[in-house]
Structure formats: structure tokens, C-alpha cells
Amino acid sequence: MAPMTRNRADNPDSKPTAELQGLYYGQRASAGLLITEGSQVSKEAVGYINTPGIHSQEQVAGWKEVVDKVHAEGGTIYIQLWHVGRMSHPDFHDGALPLAPSAINPKAEVYTAEGLKDTVTPKEMTQEDIDRTVADFQQAAKNSVAAGFDGVEIHSSNGYLFHQFFNATSNQRTDAYGGSRENRARFFFEVLEAVKKEIPYSKIGARFNPSLHGMFGMEMDEETIPTFEYIIDRLNDYNLAYIHLSQPFTDVSDISYAVTDIAQHFRPIYKGTLMINVGFDAEKANKVIEDGQADLVSFGKLYISNPDLVERFEADAALEDWDKDTFYTPGKKGYTDYPTLKREEKV
Ligand SMILES: Cc1cc2nc3c(=O)[nH]c(=O)nc-3n(C[C@H](O)[C@H](O)[C@H](O)COP(=O)(O)O)c2cc1C
């Protein structure tokens, strides 16, 4: 199950609860691996309303109840560790600017308590900001272990903080974190090595969306794919649980420097476990694995509306449609009320 933000941590502690998130993830525990929604590693990492964190004791206690529920159902669950960087708004930070590699406005919109708002020009991170953020990821990894998670996925994808560092347009730094590919990847590898102090590489995944273009403030350029080639090749030395790649979110077929088939392109580069995502159903998933282009496939939206997706695939049963209007709304509706084959009527 792919990580999906569901904005249901609508309580003062921004914590998940056994009643809501425990039920939701527990219902989906037959997935080979559940990857949670993005969970902010610190207060300053947040950029969406009602997303859960993994930095306070209350949040750790909340997640522990979720993990216990999934484990009781025989499931395996990783938490996605998240920092949105510039994809945020001063409303989330008592008026302070969001952090980013460079002071460049992504010119996007973010969901705040007062609805959609335009992003602002963020603050260029100082060395102190970078060091603190590395420590925040390490502490979040420690908290994840305390909550009982089976592993963590670093959200280095979808236009958020690490992706902002990778991209030569959003990262115009002139210090050790900008310029060359190696420099633009430095912050990510520092975080990876800090997280490893709390949990072995074999329980860490990392997510990338190399051909993300025209979304989340990201634009590709000639440097983009070579940068991801560099990062993914270098990850061969890290024995990670997996890398989790996304096929392009938008049509990039007329962009000469974009890669349209991510699995095909990166499979020869990466020797470890490669998970692929975006737009798969059972048939396409079996094909990409049979073709030897991926080891694992993750499903996103199908998992919102089919808690027993595995059983449905096995039985070749009909799939439920998802209700897009309830993706980011509070409460049980469109969250824990989808039917299973065993329990046809909605609860
Ligand atoms: C409601 C929703 C929330 C999402 N939140 C996240 C997230 O927190 N972290 C992440 O890496 N991707 C997130 N994604 C992207 C999904 O993980 C996945 O890449 C996307 O849904 C495409 O896969 P699919 O075609 O199987 O749905 C989200 C997608 C949806 C629909």
C-alpha cells in the first residue's frame, strides 16, 4: 500500500488514534507492506492541515496503538518520514517562513486551516537549519522504533524538502549542498546516515519521483535525470529495504530530458529491491514484475477504496471505486467505511 496523506489527525496533538487510524490501517493489514501517510518529523516539517507527526510523545503513543493493531492483524508497517520544505505556509509556523534549500517560491498552493493559500518565498536553510533537520529525522526514526514500526520510508519525493535539494532549479546554493549532483544529494545522504543510527539500512526505504514535472512546484531540467541516476546508483552501496519509484504523475512525453518509463530506465541501474508505483492494477503489476522491471508494486488509490485489495486480486473480484471528495476530509466517511468482500455492507 502506497503512502497516502488522509488529513484525519484533527486533534490538538496531531496524533493518530486507535479508533480512526488504527482501524483504517488494521483493515488494510493483508497488504504485503503498509506504508503510512507522510508524517512530519518536526513542527517545522508540516505543510498540510491535520497530518500526523512523529516528533512528540503523544504522537509516538498514538502510532504505537496503530502499529499494535496492524501487527495483531498479521501486517507489516513502515512509517513515511516527511518534511515538506517550501511546500508550506507561514500559517503553520506562527508566521515564520517555511524552510527550503534556496529562497525560491514554488508558486504552488497549500491547504491551510483557512483553505487553499499561495506559497511564499521560503527561508534559505542555514547550516544550523540543516544540522537541526538531520537531527529531527534521526529523532523521528528513534520515535518510529519506539512506536514499534517495522521500518521507515524517507519521503525524498514529490517536490518536498529533499527533492527541492536535488533539483538544480529549486536549489541554487553555492555551499556544499548546491551546485554539483553530489552536493545537491548531500543533505539526503546525511539524513540517511543519521537515520541508520536508529534503524538498520535493511529497514529503510527511500522514495523518488524522477520525472515529476509541473506539480508541487517542481520543473525538470537537463540535470534532473542524471541527478537521480547518481543518487540511485549510489544507493546500491546502502543495502536499503527498497527504493520506491513513481512513474511520472503528468504526461512528460514531449520533454526531451524526461524519462517516461521510470521502472525500465532505473532497473538496470539499481541492483537492490525496486518498488514501482502509479497507475497499476493487478494485470499491469504482474506484467512489470514478469518483465523483470520491478520487484514490488505499490497501490495507492485502489487501497483507499479496497481495504482487502489482496483478497480481491486473489479472487479476481470486482473493485470498489474511490470517492475523491473524501480524500482529504475528516472523520470516517471515505476512510474506514469501504466494504470488504466478507463484509459487503458499509459500516
Ligand atoms: C489522497 C492521496 C494522498 C497521498 N499522499 C501521499 C503521501 O503522503 N506520501 C507520498 O509519498 N505519496 C502520496 N500520494 C501519492 C501516492 O502514494 C501514489 O503515488 C499515487 O496515488 C499514485 O499511485 P496510484 O495510481 O496507485 O494511486 C498520495 C496520493 C493520494 C491519492
Short mmCIF file of all heavy atoms in Angstrom, two decimals, residues 2-6 36-39 80 82 153 155 157-158 160 207 244 246 249 277-280 298-302 304 322 327-328, ligand 1:
data_model
loop_
_atom_site.label_atom_id
_atom_site.label_comp_id
_atom_site.label_asym_id
_atom_site.label_seq_id
_atom_site.Cartn_x
_atom_site.Cartn_y
_atom_site.Cartn_z
N ALA A 2 0.68 2.09 -0.97
CA ALA A 2 1.50 3.32 -1.09
C ALA A 2 1.11 4.31 0.01
O ALA A 2 -0.02 4.30 0.50
CB ALA A 2 1.27 3.94 -2.46
N PRO A 3 2.06 5.17 0.38
CA PRO A 3 1.76 6.17 1.41
C PRO A 3 0.72 7.18 0.92
O PRO A 3 0.82 7.68 -0.19
CB PRO A 3 3.11 6.85 1.64
CG PRO A 3 3.88 6.61 0.38
CD PRO A 3 3.42 5.29 -0.14
N MET A 4 -0.27 7.44 1.76
CA MET A 4 -1.28 8.42 1.37
C MET A 4 -1.74 9.29 2.54
O MET A 4 -2.29 8.79 3.52
CB MET A 4 -2.48 7.70 0.75
CG MET A 4 -2.19 7.28 -0.69
SD MET A 4 -3.55 6.38 -1.41
CE MET A 4 -3.54 4.90 -0.41
N THR A 5 -1.51 10.58 2.39
CA THR A 5 -1.97 11.57 3.34
C THR A 5 -3.49 11.56 3.40
O THR A 5 -4.15 11.57 2.36
CB THR A 5 -1.47 12.96 2.86
OG1 THR A 5 -0.06 12.99 3.06
CG2 THR A 5 -2.12 14.10 3.61
N ARG A 6 -4.05 11.49 4.61
CA ARG A 6 -5.51 11.44 4.73
C ARG A 6 -6.08 12.53 5.65
O ARG A 6 -7.29 12.61 5.85
CB ARG A 6 -5.95 10.05 5.20
CG ARG A 6 -5.48 8.88 4.31
CD ARG A 6 -5.86 9.03 2.83
NE ARG A 6 -7.25 9.33 2.62
CZ ARG A 6 -8.24 8.43 2.51
NH1 ARG A 6 -7.95 7.17 2.62
NH2 ARG A 6 -9.49 8.81 2.32
N THR A 36 2.75 4.14 5.75
CA THR A 36 1.79 5.12 6.25
C THR A 36 1.82 6.40 5.42
O THR A 36 2.75 6.65 4.66
CB THR A 36 2.09 5.55 7.70
OG1 THR A 36 3.27 6.39 7.70
CG2 THR A 36 2.27 4.37 8.62
N GLU A 37 0.83 7.21 5.64
CA GLU A 37 0.80 8.58 5.17
C GLU A 37 2.07 9.32 5.61
O GLU A 37 2.66 8.96 6.64
CB GLU A 37 -0.42 9.27 5.77
CG GLU A 37 -0.40 9.29 7.29
CD GLU A 37 -1.80 9.24 7.90
OE1 GLU A 37 -2.41 10.31 8.05
OE2 GLU A 37 -2.27 8.14 8.21
N GLY A 38 2.47 10.32 4.87
CA GLY A 38 3.60 11.14 5.27
C GLY A 38 3.37 11.69 6.67
O GLY A 38 2.28 12.19 6.98
N SER A 39 4.40 11.60 7.53
CA SER A 39 4.26 12.01 8.92
C SER A 39 5.41 12.96 9.25
O SER A 39 6.59 12.58 9.13
CB SER A 39 4.29 10.79 9.83
OG SER A 39 3.30 9.88 9.41
N GLN A 80 6.19 6.69 6.84
CA GLN A 80 6.85 7.60 5.92
C GLN A 80 7.24 8.88 6.65
O GLN A 80 6.38 9.59 7.18
CB GLN A 80 5.95 7.93 4.72
CG GLN A 80 6.76 8.64 3.62
CD GLN A 80 5.93 9.07 2.43
OE1 GLN A 80 4.86 9.67 2.60
NE2 GLN A 80 6.42 8.81 1.24
N TRP A 82 8.58 12.63 6.81
CA TRP A 82 8.25 13.68 5.87
C TRP A 82 8.68 15.07 6.36
O TRP A 82 8.47 15.41 7.52
CB TRP A 82 6.73 13.67 5.72
CG TRP A 82 6.10 14.43 4.60
CD1 TRP A 82 6.64 14.82 3.43
CD2 TRP A 82 4.72 14.83 4.55
NE1 TRP A 82 5.68 15.45 2.65
CE2 TRP A 82 4.52 15.45 3.32
CE3 TRP A 82 3.64 14.71 5.44
CZ2 TRP A 82 3.27 15.98 2.94
CZ3 TRP A 82 2.42 15.22 5.06
CH2 TRP A 82 2.23 15.85 3.83
N GLU A 153 10.19 4.81 5.75
CA GLU A 153 10.45 5.25 4.37
C GLU A 153 10.75 6.74 4.41
O GLU A 153 9.95 7.52 4.94
CB GLU A 153 9.24 4.98 3.46
CG GLU A 153 9.46 5.50 2.03
CD GLU A 153 8.31 5.20 1.07
OE1 GLU A 153 8.14 4.03 0.68
OE2 GLU A 153 7.58 6.15 0.71
N HIS A 155 10.72 10.20 2.80
CA HIS A 155 9.94 10.81 1.71
C HIS A 155 10.82 11.82 0.95
O HIS A 155 10.76 13.01 1.19
CB HIS A 155 8.70 11.49 2.29
CG HIS A 155 7.68 11.84 1.26
ND1 HIS A 155 7.89 11.69 -0.09
CD2 HIS A 155 6.42 12.33 1.38
CE1 HIS A 155 6.81 12.08 -0.74
NE2 HIS A 155 5.91 12.47 0.12
N SER A 157 10.67 12.62 -2.18
CA SER A 157 9.93 12.58 -3.44
C SER A 157 8.97 13.77 -3.53
O SER A 157 8.90 14.60 -2.64
CB SER A 157 9.15 11.26 -3.45
OG SER A 157 8.62 10.97 -4.69
N ASN A 158 8.25 13.82 -4.66
CA ASN A 158 7.07 14.67 -4.83
C ASN A 158 7.24 16.16 -4.51
O ASN A 158 6.32 16.80 -4.03
CB ASN A 158 5.90 14.09 -4.01
CG ASN A 158 5.51 12.71 -4.51
OD1 ASN A 158 6.09 12.21 -5.49
ND2 ASN A 158 4.54 12.08 -3.88
N TYR A 160 8.99 17.68 -2.24
CA TYR A 160 9.20 18.11 -0.86
C TYR A 160 10.69 18.35 -0.59
O TYR A 160 11.49 18.41 -1.53
CB TYR A 160 8.56 17.10 0.10
CG TYR A 160 7.05 17.05 -0.13
CD1 TYR A 160 6.42 15.88 -0.57
CD2 TYR A 160 6.27 18.20 0.01
CE1 TYR A 160 5.05 15.87 -0.83
CE2 TYR A 160 4.91 18.18 -0.24
CZ TYR A 160 4.30 17.02 -0.66
OH TYR A 160 2.96 17.00 -0.92
N ARG A 207 11.97 7.10 -1.22
CA ARG A 207 11.03 7.29 -2.33
C ARG A 207 11.49 8.42 -3.26
O ARG A 207 11.93 9.47 -2.80
CB ARG A 207 9.64 7.63 -1.77
CG ARG A 207 8.60 7.67 -2.85
CD ARG A 207 7.19 7.58 -2.32
NE ARG A 207 6.41 6.88 -3.32
CZ ARG A 207 5.13 7.05 -3.56
NH1 ARG A 207 4.43 7.90 -2.84
NH2 ARG A 207 4.52 6.37 -4.51
N HIS A 244 11.60 3.19 -3.74
CA HIS A 244 10.19 3.26 -4.15
C HIS A 244 10.07 4.37 -5.20
O HIS A 244 10.19 5.54 -4.88
CB HIS A 244 9.37 3.59 -2.90
CG HIS A 244 7.90 3.52 -3.07
ND1 HIS A 244 7.03 3.78 -2.04
CD2 HIS A 244 7.12 3.22 -4.15
CE1 HIS A 244 5.80 3.63 -2.46
NE2 HIS A 244 5.82 3.31 -3.74
N SER A 246 8.27 6.37 -8.51
CA SER A 246 6.98 6.72 -9.13
C SER A 246 7.15 6.90 -10.62
O SER A 246 8.11 7.55 -11.07
CB SER A 246 6.44 8.03 -8.55
OG SER A 246 6.14 7.88 -7.19
N PHE A 249 3.85 11.63 -12.86
CA PHE A 249 2.47 11.99 -12.47
C PHE A 249 1.74 12.67 -13.63
O PHE A 249 0.52 12.70 -13.67
CB PHE A 249 2.49 12.96 -11.27
CG PHE A 249 2.66 12.30 -9.92
CD1 PHE A 249 2.83 10.91 -9.79
CD2 PHE A 249 2.65 13.06 -8.75
CE1 PHE A 249 2.97 10.32 -8.54
CE2 PHE A 249 2.79 12.47 -7.50
CZ PHE A 249 2.95 11.11 -7.39
N ASN A 277 5.38 2.35 -8.65
CA ASN A 277 4.05 2.84 -8.30
C ASN A 277 3.53 3.76 -9.41
O ASN A 277 4.29 4.20 -10.27
CB ASN A 277 4.15 3.62 -6.96
CG ASN A 277 2.88 4.40 -6.61
OD1 ASN A 277 2.89 5.63 -6.62
ND2 ASN A 277 1.82 3.70 -6.30
N VAL A 278 2.27 4.05 -9.32
CA VAL A 278 1.46 4.98 -10.11
C VAL A 278 0.71 4.27 -11.25
O VAL A 278 1.32 3.80 -12.22
CB VAL A 278 2.24 6.19 -10.68
CG1 VAL A 278 1.27 7.14 -11.44
CG2 VAL A 278 2.94 6.97 -9.57
N GLY A 279 -0.59 4.18 -11.04
CA GLY A 279 -1.49 3.73 -12.09
C GLY A 279 -1.51 2.23 -12.32
O GLY A 279 -1.95 1.79 -13.38
N PHE A 280 -1.05 1.43 -11.35
CA PHE A 280 -1.04 -0.03 -11.56
C PHE A 280 -2.35 -0.67 -11.11
O PHE A 280 -2.96 -0.24 -10.14
CB PHE A 280 0.14 -0.67 -10.80
CG PHE A 280 1.46 -0.43 -11.49
CD1 PHE A 280 2.22 0.69 -11.19
CD2 PHE A 280 1.91 -1.31 -12.46
CE1 PHE A 280 3.42 0.93 -11.84
CE2 PHE A 280 3.11 -1.08 -13.12
CZ PHE A 280 3.86 0.06 -12.82
N SER A 298 3.46 -0.95 -5.59
CA SER A 298 2.58 -0.40 -4.56
C SER A 298 1.34 0.17 -5.22
O SER A 298 1.38 0.65 -6.36
CB SER A 298 3.29 0.66 -3.72
OG SER A 298 3.59 1.79 -4.51
N PHE A 299 0.23 0.09 -4.48
CA PHE A 299 -1.06 0.60 -4.96
C PHE A 299 -1.51 1.71 -4.03
O PHE A 299 -1.48 1.54 -2.80
CB PHE A 299 -2.09 -0.54 -4.98
CG PHE A 299 -1.67 -1.71 -5.83
CD1 PHE A 299 -0.99 -2.78 -5.26
CD2 PHE A 299 -1.91 -1.72 -7.19
CE1 PHE A 299 -0.57 -3.85 -6.03
CE2 PHE A 299 -1.49 -2.80 -7.97
CZ PHE A 299 -0.82 -3.86 -7.39
N GLY A 300 -1.93 2.81 -4.60
CA GLY A 300 -2.40 3.94 -3.81
C GLY A 300 -3.92 3.96 -3.73
O GLY A 300 -4.52 3.31 -2.87
N LYS A 301 -4.53 4.67 -4.67
CA LYS A 301 -5.97 4.93 -4.60
C LYS A 301 -6.80 3.64 -4.51
O LYS A 301 -7.84 3.62 -3.84
CB LYS A 301 -6.41 5.78 -5.79
CG LYS A 301 -5.79 7.18 -5.75
CD LYS A 301 -6.23 8.05 -6.90
CE LYS A 301 -5.66 7.64 -8.24
NZ LYS A 301 -4.18 7.74 -8.36
N LEU A 302 -6.34 2.57 -5.16
CA LEU A 302 -7.10 1.31 -5.05
C LEU A 302 -7.20 0.86 -3.59
O LEU A 302 -8.16 0.21 -3.20
CB LEU A 302 -6.42 0.20 -5.88
CG LEU A 302 -6.71 0.18 -7.38
CD1 LEU A 302 -5.92 -0.95 -8.05
CD2 LEU A 302 -8.21 -0.01 -7.65
N ILE A 304 -7.38 2.91 -1.04
CA ILE A 304 -8.32 3.74 -0.30
C ILE A 304 -9.69 3.05 -0.28
O ILE A 304 -10.33 2.94 0.76
CB ILE A 304 -8.43 5.15 -0.95
CG1 ILE A 304 -7.13 5.93 -0.71
CG2 ILE A 304 -9.64 5.91 -0.42
CD1 ILE A 304 -7.12 7.34 -1.26
N TRP A 322 -13.08 4.65 -5.68
CA TRP A 322 -12.80 5.57 -4.57
C TRP A 322 -13.61 6.86 -4.75
O TRP A 322 -13.94 7.23 -5.87
CB TRP A 322 -11.31 5.88 -4.49
CG TRP A 322 -10.70 6.38 -5.77
CD1 TRP A 322 -10.71 7.64 -6.27
CD2 TRP A 322 -9.96 5.59 -6.72
NE1 TRP A 322 -10.03 7.71 -7.46
CE2 TRP A 322 -9.56 6.47 -7.77
CE3 TRP A 322 -9.59 4.24 -6.79
CZ2 TRP A 322 -8.82 6.03 -8.87
CZ3 TRP A 322 -8.86 3.82 -7.90
CH2 TRP A 322 -8.49 4.70 -8.92
N PHE A 327 -11.06 12.31 0.00
CA PHE A 327 -9.63 12.00 0.18
C PHE A 327 -9.05 12.76 1.38
O PHE A 327 -8.30 12.19 2.16
CB PHE A 327 -8.83 12.37 -1.08
CG PHE A 327 -8.85 11.30 -2.15
CD1 PHE A 327 -9.66 10.18 -2.04
CD2 PHE A 327 -8.06 11.44 -3.29
CE1 PHE A 327 -9.67 9.21 -3.04
CE2 PHE A 327 -8.06 10.48 -4.28
CZ PHE A 327 -8.87 9.35 -4.17
N TYR A 328 -9.34 14.03 1.46
CA TYR A 328 -8.66 14.87 2.46
C TYR A 328 -9.63 15.47 3.47
O TYR A 328 -9.38 16.54 4.00
CB TYR A 328 -7.88 16.00 1.76
CG TYR A 328 -6.89 15.51 0.72
CD1 TYR A 328 -7.14 15.69 -0.64
CD2 TYR A 328 -5.71 14.87 1.09
CE1 TYR A 328 -6.23 15.26 -1.61
CE2 TYR A 328 -4.80 14.43 0.14
CZ TYR A 328 -5.07 14.62 -1.21
OH TYR A 328 -4.17 14.20 -2.16
C1 LIG B 1 -5.05 11.03 -1.21
C2 LIG B 1 -3.61 10.85 -1.59
C3 LIG B 1 -2.61 11.18 -0.69
C4 LIG B 1 -1.26 10.96 -0.98
N1 LIG B 1 -0.30 11.22 -0.04
C5 LIG B 1 0.98 10.82 -0.25
C6 LIG B 1 1.94 10.88 0.80
O1 LIG B 1 1.66 11.25 1.95
N2 LIG B 1 3.20 10.49 0.51
C7 LIG B 1 3.58 10.05 -0.74
O2 LIG B 1 4.74 9.72 -0.95
N3 LIG B 1 2.67 9.97 -1.73
C8 LIG B 1 1.38 10.31 -1.52
N4 LIG B 1 0.44 10.15 -2.51
C9 LIG B 1 0.83 9.51 -3.77
C10 LIG B 1 0.56 8.02 -3.72
O3 LIG B 1 1.46 7.37 -2.84
C11 LIG B 1 0.70 7.38 -5.12
O4 LIG B 1 1.97 7.73 -5.62
C12 LIG B 1 -0.37 7.86 -6.08
O5 LIG B 1 -1.67 7.70 -5.52
C13 LIG B 1 -0.30 7.09 -7.40
O6 LIG B 1 -0.49 5.71 -7.19
P1 LIG B 1 -1.89 5.01 -7.59
O7 LIG B 1 -2.07 5.26 -9.08
O8 LIG B 1 -1.72 3.56 -7.26
O9 LIG B 1 -2.98 5.69 -6.81
C14 LIG B 1 -0.91 10.41 -2.25
C15 LIG B 1 -1.92 10.11 -3.17
C16 LIG B 1 -3.25 10.31 -2.86
C17 LIG B 1 -4.31 9.92 -3.85
#
